[in-house]
Amino acid sequence: MQTSKTIKDMQTEVDSYISQFKEGYFSPLAMLARMTEELGELSREVNHHYGEKPKKSTEEEKAIEEELGDMLFVLICFANSLNIDLEEAHDRVMKKFSTRDKDRWTRIEE
């Protein structure tokens, strides 16, 4: 049985993987280009599943889950390369949403 990973665990795991290669992390600009490329692949899959553009019979079937995993990997690489703790970044964003944007959306009645 696999235990749950924290974001910190994932950042450490990715760093251990990347650290075994001389090339290391890509530059921030190259990382952004990779993220854009992966987002395009995710967009294509979402459009095939939920949009008006079905796959061609010659196109390989990829799962949205796989594309999201690719996005997560590149995001973690990007954060690691800039020494950003994603748990701290997440906490800051959630604080912003729970304060500045707390009355922005219609709440479900309890």
Side-chain angles (χ1 to χ4, degrees):
M1 184 167 106
Q2 187 176 8
T3 60
S4 295
K5 293 179 187 177
T6 65
I7 294 173
K8 193 171 293 304
D9 292 338
M10 288 188 273
Q11 284 192 259
T12 300
E13 183 178 11
V14 168
D15 194 59
S16 293
Y17 174 75
I18 296 295
S19 294
Q20 67 183 322
F21 304 109
K22 289 180 183 178
E23 294 81 2
Y25 291 106
F26 295 150
S27 70
L29 192 55
M31 203 73 74
L32 186 59
R34 281 213 51 214
M35 188 174 287
T36 302
E37 178 185 333
E38 294 298 346
L39 180 60
E41 292 176 15
L42 174 61
S43 298
R44 185 172 181 85
E45 288 306 310
V46 170
N47 194 24
H48 288 318
H49 288 281
Y50 300 104
E52 290 72 38
K53 187 179 178 192
K55 281 190 181 269
K56 296 175 188 172
S57 59
T58 57
E59 285 184 287
E60 179 183 335
E61 187 64 35
K62 283 191 175 178
I64 292 172
E65 178 180 334
E66 180 182 341
E67 298 303 340
L68 282 170
D70 288 346
M71 284 288 302
L72 181 59
F73 179 79
V74 175
L75 177 67
I76 291 170
C77 286
F78 202 174
N80 285 356
S81 73
L82 297 173
N83 294 313
I84 293 171
D85 181 322
L86 284 171
E87 287 183 356
E88 288 178 15
H90 169 77
D91 290 345
R92 279 191 227 125
V93 169
M94 291 309 296
K95 183 176 181 182
K96 177 176 64 176
F97 284 130
S98 64
T99 55
R100 183 193 74 186
D101 294 341
K102 67 182 174 65
D103 297 319
R104 187 174 197 173
W105 310 107
T106 306
R107 294 196 181 271
I108 298 172
E109 300 299 321
E110 295 184 23

